Amino acid sequence: MLVCPSGIDLSSSALRYLSRRLTARRRELGTRWRRLPADRQALLVLAHLRCGHTYAQLAVGFGVGTSTVARYVAEAVEVLAALAPDLATAVRAAARKAFVILDGTLLPIGRIAADRPYYSGKHKKHGMNVQVIADPAGRLLRASAALPGAVHDISAARAHGIVDALAQADIRCWADKVYQGVGGTVRVPDRGRWEKLSAGQQAVNRSHAKIRALGEQAMATLKTWRLLRKLRCSTSRITAIVQAVLTLHLNASN
């Protein structure tokens, strides 16, 4: 396999943050020696998460075995996922905002047609449903655990307790028409064909669309981590990967 220099479109703060966490983990475990120092392990993990490089590619590039790469990635993901904010923390952060934006995204996975629980009829592909909460500037506040793609956005939001948590904190929330009837403090556009809506309803829907478009920035931020564009790992690992990405995003500016 050929090896060439490459770049990762992240700031050095992401590398420093992850290096510190891995160094702390090694001290906690009493590790005396590793094939790679903490900063090199951090770089390896960032290349995997951000660029989607495979274990085989990383093994050649860093001069280690694929099993070592797998252990390094699993360790870093576990460390980062444990630091991700839970729903209560996200709601406390959201309480300081004028409102939040709720939206769902599908993370594509490699599955065959027989895997119906993971098939999203909305997106016409297999994947995992993740509910995202963003602030008025389109910045990520929370990414939920991943559920099979067949789960509807309303069911996912309720299952994660997002709707009830926002209602209890009296936080206004904007969402698209998929969340029609979810209740709580969630606001959705007026239903109906555009030409049949009144002038007032059309104006409300235009304003609603402008606000909700900011939530697309949060989705775009999540998908800049190329590993999330096509996940080929076990579905049981996807939640931890999403939480690890969220931690890096919140603690290391790009």
Side-chain angles (χ1 to χ4, degrees), residues 92-252:
R92 286 196 295 271
R96 299 191 292 269
K97 312 293 183 180
F99 60 87
V100 296
I101 303 164
L102 172 64
D103 205 351
T105 187
L106 188 81
L107 302 180
I109 60 175
R111 284 294 181 273
I112 60 176
D115 294 323
R116 299 302 299 177
Y118 300 99
Y119 184 77
S120 168
K122 175 183 176 182
H123 297 277
K124 308 301 181 186
K125 64 177 68 173
H126 293 80
M128 300 293 284
N129 183 308
V130 173
Q131 298 294 300
V132 172
I133 302 175
D135 69 9
R139 293 185 291 263
L140 276 171
L141 294 177
R142 167 72 176 165
S144 73
L147 294 177
V151 178
H152 193 276
D153 282 334
I154 288 181
S155 299
R158 286 174 173 164
H160 295 309
I162 296 173
V163 177
D164 290 340
L166 294 177
Q168 291 173 6
D170 195 25
I171 299 172
R172 292 183 297 171
C173 175
W174 267 253
D176 64 20
K177 60 183 179 182
V178 173
Y179 294 89
Q180 191 81 38
V182 73
T185 57
V186 179
R187 299 184 180 184
V188 297
D190 288 320
R191 297 183 65 180
R193 297 178 62 88
W194 181 259
E195 60 274 12
K196 293 185 178 181
L197 296 176
S198 67
Q201 289 175 317
Q202 290 180 358
V204 168
N205 281 6
R206 287 194 195 96
S207 176
H208 190 283
K210 291 179 181 178
I211 293 173
R212 194 168 47 79
L214 297 171
E216 297 299 325
Q217 297 180 24
M219 297 298 185
T221 297
L222 205 59
K223 296 297 179 68
T224 56
W225 298 81
R226 295 173 185 83
L227 185 67
L228 299 181
R229 297 179 187 176
K230 186 69 172 182
L231 288 153
R232 294 179 173 84
C233 61
S234 168
T235 54
S236 63
R237 295 179 52 207
I238 294 178
T239 292
I241 292 173
V242 171
Q243 298 304 308
V245 167
L246 177 64
T247 298
L248 285 171
H249 171 72
L250 294 177
N251 293 280

Side-chain angles (χ1 to χ4, degrees), residues 11 45 63 86 127 136 157 165 221 236:
S11 70
V45 173
D86 57 14
T221 297
S236 63

Side-chain angles (χ1 to χ4, degrees), residues 22-39:
L22 291 175
T23 298
R25 174 60 175 261
R26 294 184 182 195
R27 288 174 179 168
E28 178 184 342
L29 296 175
T31 302
R32 294 184 178 182
W33 181 84
R34 292 278 187 98
R35 287 293 302 275
L36 296 178
D39 58 341

